[in-house]
Amino acid sequence: MTHAVTPSAAARLFESPQAKLARTLLTVLAGAALVTLAAKTQIPFWPVPMTLHTLAVMALAVAFGPRVAVSILLTYLASGVAGLPVFSGAPERGVGLAYMAGPTGGYLLGYLAAAGAVGALARGASFLGRVGAMLVGLALVYLLGVAWLAVFVPVDKLLAVGVAPFLLGDLLKIGVVAVGGALLPGLRGWVKGVRS
């Protein structure tokens, strides 16, 4: 004799604490993989080629909120510290802590700070509120990135080296996330399950 699973029993199973935890862990691992892929993707752009790093961080923070977004970035950074070539310049410019101690280390920590800030500020915000949250996050990325870059670059060249070449591309990526977020309501069910 077989027992059929009723729809309500299936729904309860899907909403169980174990299922929610599994969805969150899967989301964190997939998010860290997405950030890695975004870091490795280079698109020809002016004045320098751009990666999709900022786009991935902002999109994940807006979609999943601060807790999951910070977990994703911590997983990504921990993978890099462990020596996996997850960063945009790895393995060519080093791996692990040696890479993180290099000129771009501050930007990596800025992504972590941005994930938390954008996730918190964008929660329940309007379209313009989400854009504002991402601009705050971008400011954090540049603030921490340039502060650490000052160890390697003369102060009078910091903006020319650490901000100006990337600003236009980063603003474009924020625009893509803002518009894309408005056009992708299909993720709301999954996101709601992970956020709760």
Side-chain angles (χ1 to χ4, degrees):
M1 180 176 188
T2 61
H3 297 283
V5 176
T6 65
S8 61
R12 281 196 306 274
L13 179 64
F14 189 71
E15 292 303 319
S16 71
Q18 296 85 357
K20 287 181 180 181
L21 177 62
R23 276 199 313 274
T24 300
L25 289 175
L26 179 62
T27 300
V28 167
L29 293 174
L34 180 67
V35 173
T36 301
L37 180 62
K40 298 291 187 178
T41 302
Q42 284 212 349
I43 297 173
F45 197 70
W46 180 89
V48 294
M50 73 174 166
T51 68
L52 299 179
H53 229 156
T54 307
L55 185 141
V57 171
M58 300 298 176
L60 292 166
V62 168
F64 294 109
R67 182 178 59 89
V68 173
V70 167
S71 297
I72 288 169
L73 265 294
L74 284 173
T75 301
Y76 169 72
L77 293 174
S79 300
V81 168
L84 296 176
V86 296
F87 304 132
S88 60
E92 302 81 19
R93 291 183 295 175
V95 293
L97 286 174
Y99 183 91
M100 290 189 74
T104 59
Y107 296 97
L108 293 171
L109 293 178
Y111 288 136
L112 177 62
V118 173
L121 294 171
R123 190 180 352 204
S126 66
F127 176 84
L128 288 178
R130 289 190 302 274
V131 171
M134 288 187 279
L135 290 174
V136 168
L138 185 60
L140 286 171
V141 171
Y142 283 137
L143 180 67
L144 292 171
V146 167
W148 181 250
L149 189 61
V151 173
F152 302 91
V153 174
V155 172
D156 62 326
K157 295 190 179 183
L158 280 175
L159 291 180
V161 172
V163 175
F166 311 104
L167 187 58
L168 180 61
D170 284 339
L171 292 174
L172 178 65
K173 288 177 256 184
I174 285 175
V176 168
V177 172
V179 172
L183 298 175
L184 295 174
L187 286 176
R188 285 188 186 143
W190 179 269
V191 171
K192 187 176 179 185
V194 171
R195 277 188 166 180
S196 60

